[in-house]
Amino acid sequence: ETGVTQTPRHLVMGMTNKKSLKCEQHLGHNAMYWYKQSAKKPLELMFVYSLEERVENNSVPSRFSPECPNSSHLFLHLHTLQPEDSALYLCASSLAGGLGYTFGSGTRLTVV
Amino acid sequence: QQQVKQSPQSLIVQKGGISIINCAYENTAFDYFPWYQQFPGKGPALLIAIRPDVSEKKEGRFTISFNKSAKQFSLHIMDSQPGDSATYFCAAVYNQGGKLIFGQGTELSVKP
């Protein structure tokens, strides 16, 4: 399998649940990103990992916790979310400092 | 603070017409300006990109026009087709940082 793969594609969770989103890339990239996409808003950069180190956290609430165990995998752990966290969560990868981002298809998250 | 402003939010064009989407930026540290195309249920995919030392770049029916002094750039889709119906995002990248900053997106609908 090539490209950037995100699982699950859809997720419905209650506010007290704990769940994780998974992202996997097979492109030989060494930087990975989480973006949040809400309707009528720009894509919001949440986290940046470069060479497996978190290099940016854009003031994201602590109920979102990223993990990058290696350069091919990225997780977003979710707990005690709010309904306003419902959105499409996109993972992307690139070469560190590079310009060519490749995005996954996203996980559509609904918090009830 | 919205670093990249995109307009219009939505656009309806007849088949064969020209679609024009505009973006403006403030930060002169941006030095790479890509456009992304996103179909429903998919992540954004790189469509075409330009650097500020070039005033125009054309790839097939897609053209970017860049006005460095005005800090504006635009996407032109010639001979628009129903298959071009998608959401288009302009973006900008800080020099050597690789971090993508997106505009709000334009939902394009091409009517047959």
Side-chain angles (χ1 to χ4, degrees), chain A residues 5-95:
Chain A
T5 303
Q6 289 187 244
T7 55
R9 292 297 308 275
H10 300 272
L11 178 62
V12 179
M13 59 186 289
M15 290 192 286
T16 57
N17 290 160
K18 288 184 180 181
K19 295 287 184 182
S20 295
L21 310 185
K22 179 182 176 181
C23 177
E24 185 173 359
Q25 61 93 5
H26 302 273
L27 299 168
H29 290 165
N30 52 15
M32 298 187 79
Y33 313 83
W34 280 116
Y35 279 86
K36 177 183 178 182
Q37 185 174 25
S38 304
K40 309 299 183 186
K41 293 177 68 177
L43 278 75
E44 300 172 52
L45 179 62
M46 300 175 71
F47 300 104
V48 179
Y49 276 83
S50 181
L51 303 173
E52 298 164 38
E53 284 192 26
R54 190 192 309 181
V55 297
E56 186 149 345
N57 173 347
N58 268 5
S59 303
V60 180
S62 60
R63 57 186 184 270
F64 295 90
S65 175
E67 178 189 1
C68 187
N70 56 62
S71 60
S72 298
H73 294 87
L74 184 66
F75 295 89
L76 188 62
H77 303 299
L78 316 170
H79 65 97
T80 58
L81 295 190
Q82 304 298 311
E84 60 264 29
D85 297 323
S86 298
L88 181 68
Y89 288 85
L90 290 162
C91 172
S93 70
S94 74
L95 290 172

Side-chain angles (χ1 to χ4, degrees), chain A residues 9 33 35 37 40-43 45 56 88 90 98-99 101 103-105, chain B residues 2 32 36 38 41-44 51 89 93 98-100 102-104 107:
Chain A
R9 292 297 308 275
Y33 313 83
Y35 279 86
Q37 185 174 25
K40 309 299 183 186
K41 293 177 68 177
L43 278 75
L45 179 62
E56 186 149 345
L88 181 68
L90 290 162
L99 302 173
Y101 279 43
F103 282 84
S105 295
Chain B
Q2 183 65 47
Y32 178 74
Y36 281 79
Q38 184 178 26
K42 299 290 187 181
R51 290 195 179 272
F89 294 92
V93 180
K99 185 171 72 172
L100 271 179
F102 284 91
Q104 300 97 312
E107 194 171 339

Side-chain angles (χ1 to χ4, degrees), chain B residues 14-63:
Chain B
Q14 290 297 124
K15 179 182 175 182
I18 302 173
S19 304
I20 302 175
I21 304 170
N22 300 299
C23 284
Y25 64 98
E26 291 294 326
N27 193 334
T28 55
F30 291 136
D31 69 348
Y32 178 74
F33 300 88
W35 284 88
Y36 281 79
Q37 180 188 54
Q38 184 178 26
F39 292 106
K42 299 290 187 181
L46 179 64
L47 183 64
I48 187 173
I50 196 168
R51 290 195 179 272
D53 54 346
V54 176
S55 61
E56 185 176 283
K57 183 173 182 180
K58 183 176 181 179
E59 289 183 4
R61 295 184 294 109
F62 301 90
T63 300

